[in-house]
Amino acid sequence: LIGDFEVTSGMYLLAQYGAYQQAAQLAGTDQDATNVKAFLKETITTDSDTGETAVVSDYVAQKTQETLETLAAVDARFKELGGELTDAQITTADSYAQQMMDNYGDTYTANGIGLETLKAFERLQLEHTALLGLIYGPDGETPVADDELTSHLDDSMYEIGYVTIPLYNTSTYVFADDDQKAEMLSLAQTAADSVNLAEPETTSEQVSSLTAAAKAALPDIYAVLDGEFSADSVNVQTELLTESDVDTAFTQDGAADALRGLAYGEAAAVQLNDSSLILMVRLDPLNVASLDSLRDTILSDMKGDELEDALAAYGAELTHSLDSSAMNKLPASKIDNSSSSNS
């Protein structure tokens, strides 16, 4: 037990398998994570910034315990706050567990992890998600005010309407060279400038203006690579991005800063990555969806790390009465990683 949370052998093995996969992600090019017994004796770099290292077996043991402590904390806090999964949520969790078993059953079975363990784990994941609302929601333990949510949404999240433009001929897959990329970006920026000159005011007008600008510009952009373009295929998509999303997706120098510098209704074109440009307009997210419908998304971005830290601390403080003899019968050396599945 950790607190009142019963750690079954299946849950222990699932946590241990997940911890091993984390270690495998940190393996050096000369290390073979499919050779479990050998890899457990290796040393990996656990923090590239500080150069901190750990022996894999110690790392796996630590991460296994941390995972179990967090699961115990989720279960305890959810019950403390009066949480209860609905029948529909339980059905969803169980269905997802079945999908996981259908897709990765051989791996799970080889590692002693059964369907009931996956069901229990997926239900805990839903409890974990629900804690954001139970703690920080309007009726939560420490509610976050609507004006704070709106401020975070304005300052750290980005609703965009966009069209992605490939930097290659979609028929021949020949990529643009640097000069061609520059020409395509210039044409896309001219399209963005036309949106800004029109000064569309409503979200609907902003999306319509971007659509019209894209339809006008894309034939010439595609022609740079002798490609053909159909105006019927223009489809402006909308998406709400977090700072993390922006850093991950906008990998070209200056691209992320260009997005962050846009006012609502302002358009720009940037090279997104090595293979695509993006023609975009920044939208006011509260003109796309209500604050209530965005609440969980904003809370996750705003309070997710704080919640993780709190759960880790809470779980570490719970009474631990794990059976060491039982754990010794489930050593990491018995992990089957032959499939190298990161499921």
Side-chain angles (χ1 to χ4, degrees):
L1 294 174
I2 298 180
D4 294 326
F5 179 72
E6 181 183 358
V7 179
T8 64
S9 60
M11 193 64 75
Y12 180 85
L13 289 169
L14 180 60
Q16 182 174 253
Y17 181 76
Y20 187 86
Q21 296 308 319
Q22 287 180 263
Q25 293 293 324
L26 300 173
T29 54
D30 59 341
Q31 294 175 322
D32 181 9
T34 62
N35 186 344
V36 175
K37 288 184 179 179
F39 184 56
L40 285 168
K41 298 173 184 176
E42 299 271 3
T43 297
I44 52 174
T45 300
T46 57
D47 189 324
S48 57
D49 293 331
T50 64
E52 185 177 347
T53 63
V55 175
V56 173
S57 58
D58 294 338
Y59 178 89
V60 170
Q62 178 190 345
K63 292 299 178 184
T64 299
Q65 178 166 317
E66 288 175 0
T67 296
L68 293 172
E69 287 173 349
T70 295
L71 293 176
V74 167
D75 186 58
R77 291 290 281 138
F78 188 72
K79 289 173 180 174
E80 277 179 17
L81 296 168
E84 189 172 342
L85 295 181
T86 64
D87 289 343
Q89 287 176 310
I90 291 171
T91 299
T92 297
D94 291 355
S95 175
Y96 189 68
Q98 184 63 61
Q99 289 178 41
M100 296 298 289
M101 185 57 76
D102 291 343
N103 291 330
Y104 306 108
D106 290 347
T107 296
Y108 285 129
T109 300
N111 285 284
I113 301 160
L115 180 60
E116 291 308 309
T117 294
L118 293 178
K119 286 181 177 180
F121 180 77
E122 292 305 329
R123 292 180 188 186
L124 284 165
Q125 297 312 296
L126 287 183
E127 291 182 7
H128 194 164
T129 301
L131 281 175
L132 277 167
L134 290 171
I135 296 172
Y136 304 112
D139 301 318
E141 188 177 53
T142 53
V144 176
D146 285 359
D147 60 345
E148 291 182 68
L149 291 174
T150 303
S151 178
H152 184 84
L153 186 62
D154 287 338
D155 296 340
S156 303
M157 302 180 79
Y158 308 88
E159 182 85 40
I160 59 170
Y162 66 96
V163 175
T164 304
I165 304 168
L167 287 170
Y168 55 87
N169 183 303
T170 55
S171 298
T172 65
Y173 295 100
V174 173
F175 273 75
D177 61 29
D178 288 345
D179 289 341
Q180 290 168 324
K181 288 177 182 178
E183 184 180 356
M184 295 168 78
L185 180 58
S186 177
L187 290 167
Q189 185 56 51
T190 299
D193 291 342
S194 71
V195 174
N196 295 331
L197 284 170
E199 297 183 347
E201 295 185 1
T202 68
T203 295
S204 176
E205 289 172 350
Q206 290 156 4
V207 171
S208 296
S209 184
L210 189 74
T211 303
K215 285 183 176 180
L218 284 170
D220 288 339
I221 295 174
Y222 271 61
V224 173
L225 296 174
D226 299 321
E228 294 186 4
F229 173 76
S230 169
D232 294 336
S233 66
V234 172
N235 177 31
V236 174
Q237 302 179 65
T238 60
E239 189 171 355
L240 181 61
L241 304 173
T242 64
E243 286 281 4
S244 176
D245 294 330
V246 173
D247 287 336
T248 301
F250 289 67
T251 56
Q252 287 296 121
D253 287 347
D257 288 341
L259 169 56
R260 294 185 180 109
L262 293 179
Y264 291 148
E266 188 176 2
V270 297
Q271 184 175 339
L272 189 65
N273 49 43
D274 288 337
S275 61
S276 60
L277 305 175
I278 186 170
L279 175 60
M280 60 184 172
V281 61
R282 187 175 179 190
L283 307 172
D284 183 343
L286 293 180
N287 287 337
V288 177
S290 68
L291 184 64
D292 276 341
S293 67
L294 295 174
R295 188 180 302 276
D296 288 349
T297 303
I298 303 169
L299 283 175
S300 178
D301 188 54
M302 187 178 180
K303 292 291 190 178
D305 289 345
E306 180 181 309
L307 176 59
E308 292 307 300
D309 290 344
L311 288 171
Y314 190 100
E317 291 174 0
L318 291 172
T319 302
H320 289 47
S321 53
L322 294 173
D323 187 336
S324 57
S325 63
M327 289 191 294
N328 289 337
K329 295 175 184 176
L330 306 170
S333 59
K334 289 188 177 180
I335 288 173
D336 182 339
N337 201 45
S338 57
S339 64
S340 296
S341 168
N342 292 324
S343 54

